[in-house]
Amino acid sequence: MRIAVLSGKGGTGKTLVSINLAAATETSAYIDCDVEEPNGYLFFKPRNIQEEEVSVRIPKVNDKLCSGCRKCVDFCKFNALAYIKDKLIIFEDICHSCGGCILLCPEQALTEKEKVIGKVQKGISDQVTVYTGVLNTGEPSGVPIIKKLLAEAKLEITKTTLIDCPPGSACTVMESIKDADYCILVAEPTLFGVHNLNIVYELVKLFNKPFGVVLNKCLDGEDLSEKFCLEKGIRILGRIPFDQELGRLNSNAEIAVRKSEKYRRIFSSLLETVEKEAHHEAASDS
Amino acid sequence: MKIAIPVDEKSLESKVCVSFGRAPYFLIYDTETKERVFLNNSAAASTGGAGIKAAQIIVDNKVSILLTPRCGENAANVLKSADVKIYKTGSVYAKENITDLINGKLSLLDEIHPGFHGHGGN
């Protein structure tokens, strides 16, 4: 089962929830899809790391063959090509690697070349296989890295897989949740928190994914995200208290489940709820 | 010599558009013939790379000088390859900037911003 953990902004508790759920499972895979700033590995400290580069294909031009017809320039929806002073200019950072320009070129002046944009790592931390995607600084899109990560982790199909998504609802998040069986939305109790929750709520509805909410940083008094869930009829999967002990463990890059019996219980029970929900959804779908 | 300015409206009284790549129109002014033409900027609605396409339009129209409040890195590279000079606008009105340029009151744009790729655009 693949569980994606997402939220409308950073710092809400995606990594906290996903690493602890992964650590509470007997055998699991954790995939850090927040490739612009992966941090799950800081908690898991995985060993036996295997690494593989990820590259995309971008066009290169042979100026001698280019006739200046501009078919490629007109075709590119991302405007990654310009034709200036009888010379084709290619903007590698703008290119989305669709390959259309290469197919269209009547002179075969364009060919593909590989460009490394980052890497994926795989390692072991106790019973958890840890996958980490790293996008090189300055690269515009992490989608190819996330695709590679999820393809690699497909081999772990028998394990419970936790997908730690990037924040927000952009292409990288859509790619991360595409094949998920269930989505956990992590929310903060503030008005700002509700706004961010709404962003991912809209997204999972659009993707038709079964989902529930984990309320994080819960204090006594009104929780606006809870109110939002009750109004919309959204399933609340669990609550994580705004607790110094948890804050201390987390800021020391410890996994709460591995250090505290109290948190082992909280996350084991959350995991049980999520699994039940996901199976229920799967059953009612078929 | 042709001068181009990104403008909000198809009027000589128009204000200068705050964006180059996503300006709705370009005012092209020919200093020799005094002719003024308003071009639709087909790059304005691009999902990405608007600056590159807008710069291509400027170059294709044989413009020598662009007057703009700001310009992104990629657009500046295209313009540079075509030897188009970029001057920073002073007044908020298009017409005054043309007069100021002719009277030597404008200076070259030296701040080129790195662009907004991946932020809201794609």
Side-chain angles (χ1 to χ4, degrees):
Chain A
M1 188 176 56
R2 302 177 137 208
I3 306 164
V5 182
L6 55 164
S7 71
K9 73 165 185 72
T12 309
K14 287 180 298 298
T15 300
L16 174 82
V17 169
S18 37
I19 58 170
N20 279 287
L21 287 179
T25 311
E26 248 172 65
T27 166
S28 64
Y30 164 85
I31 311 175
D32 201 341
C33 287
D34 192 2
V35 299
E36 284 180 39
E37 45 235 343
N39 60 348
Y41 73 94
L42 296 172
F43 295 89
F44 281 117
K45 303 163 187 76
R47 284 169 297 129
N48 306 332
I49 303 241
Q50 291 166 274
E51 211 172 80
E52 204 183 321
E53 280 185 336
V54 179
S55 47
V56 292
R57 289 179 171 184
I58 53 167
K60 69 171 181 192
V61 63
N62 181 340
D63 291 323
K64 288 195 192 109
L65 295 178
C66 177
S67 66
C69 74
R70 295 198 187 196
K71 282 204 167 93
C72 56
V73 176
D74 297 336
F75 169 78
C76 184
K77 290 287 167 285
F78 299 100
N79 301 317
L81 303 147
Y83 191 76
I84 304 294
K85 286 206 163 173
D86 303 326
K87 206 167 174 293
L88 188 69
I89 308 177
I90 299 169
F91 289 86
E92 299 189 351
D93 291 348
I94 305 288
C95 175
H96 279 53
S97 307
C98 78
C101 55
I102 296 162
L103 288 174
L104 273 176
C105 180
E107 311 296 334
Q108 271 95 49
L110 289 167
T111 46
E112 280 184 337
K113 67 169 183 182
E114 300 260 327
K115 180 190 170 204
V116 174
I117 59 157
K119 61 186 175 189
V120 294
Q121 292 177 328
K122 179 185 174 183
I124 301 290
S125 170
D126 294 350
Q127 86 291 16
V128 187
T129 313
V130 180
Y131 291 87
T132 306
V134 185
L135 179 69
N136 290 345
T137 308
E139 289 299 336
S141 172
V143 169
I145 305 222
I146 294 169
K147 279 197 169 133
K148 176 83 179 166
L149 273 176
L150 295 173
E152 290 276 308
K154 244 188 190 139
L155 308 168
E156 311 261 8
I157 197 79
T158 52
K159 295 179 183 171
T160 298
T161 302
L162 273 304
I163 304 167
D164 193 355
C165 295
S169 59
C171 300
T172 46
V173 182
M174 297 188 220
E175 194 62 44
S176 306
I177 68 167
K178 214 168 66 187
D179 295 324
D181 302 303
Y182 194 82
C183 292
I184 299 178
L185 318 183
V186 186
E188 286 178 353
T190 59
L191 188 58
F192 186 47
V194 175
H195 172 80
N196 293 308
L197 172 57
N198 195 30
I199 290 171
V200 277
Y201 167 64
E202 297 278 336
L203 183 73
V204 291
K205 273 203 312 187
L206 192 70
F207 272 68
N208 236 338
K209 293 283 176 191
F211 67 98
V213 167
V214 168
L215 299 168
N216 191 18
K217 308 184 188 178
C218 294
L219 289 160
D220 291 336
E222 196 179 35
D223 187 318
L224 295 173
S225 285
E226 180 175 32
K227 207 172 131 197
F228 177 84
C229 291
L230 295 175
E231 277 166 12
K232 304 263 181 197
I234 301 167
R235 176 82 164 97
I236 295 171
L237 303 162
R239 292 171 175 77
I240 302 168
F242 194 54
D243 173 24
Q244 271 205 1
E245 185 199 350
L246 182 60
R248 198 175 301 119
L249 285 168
N250 212 47
S251 56
N252 286 324
E254 300 283 9
I255 296 168
V257 160
R258 289 182 180 171
K259 292 283 166 186
S260 143
E261 194 40 47
K262 175 178 151 197
Y263 281 102
R264 172 160 284 281
R265 278 201 307 274
I266 290 181
F267 282 101
S268 298
S269 134
L270 177 61
L271 183 70
E272 215 173 283
T273 312
V274 170
E275 283 178 336
K276 234 183 266 169
E277 280 288 305
H279 284 140
H280 175 72
E281 291 284 348
S284 62
D285 271 358
S286 55
Chain B
M1 181 183 69
K2 281 183 180 176
I3 303 169
I5 313 180
V7 286
D8 289 329
E9 288 160 57
K10 276 188 176 174
S11 145
L12 206 58
E13 313 306 317
S14 172
K15 286 184 176 173
V16 177
C17 180
V18 290
S19 166
F20 164 63
R22 298 198 183 270
Y25 314 104
F26 293 119
L27 162 60
I28 312 282
Y29 179 76
D30 190 322
T31 52
E32 277 117 58
T33 63
K34 313 274 189 255
E35 199 184 354
R36 303 158 201 144
V37 182
F38 289 93
L39 287 181
N40 286 328
N41 177 17
S42 56
S46 305
T47 43
I52 297 170
K53 192 172 178 184
Q56 177 84 61
I57 294 168
I58 295 299
V59 173
D60 290 347
N61 280 278
K62 314 248 180 304
V63 168
S64 310
I65 292 181
L66 171 70
L67 310 183
T68 180
R70 44 202 228 142
C71 182
E73 208 171 35
N74 289 328
N77 284 338
V78 172
L79 296 168
K80 204 174 141 194
S81 310
D83 302 316
V84 176
K85 293 220 160 28
I86 312 170
Y87 282 81
K88 189 172 169 56
T89 49
S91 160
V92 293
Y93 294 100
K95 200 161 85 180
E96 291 176 19
N97 281 292
I98 296 177
T99 321
D100 287 349
L101 178 84
I102 292 165
N103 294 331
K105 285 186 187 164
L106 297 185
S107 50
L108 286 168
L109 180 77
D110 45 15
E111 278 170 52
I112 300 296
H113 70 77
F116 306 102
H117 321 124
H119 298 277
N122 34 359

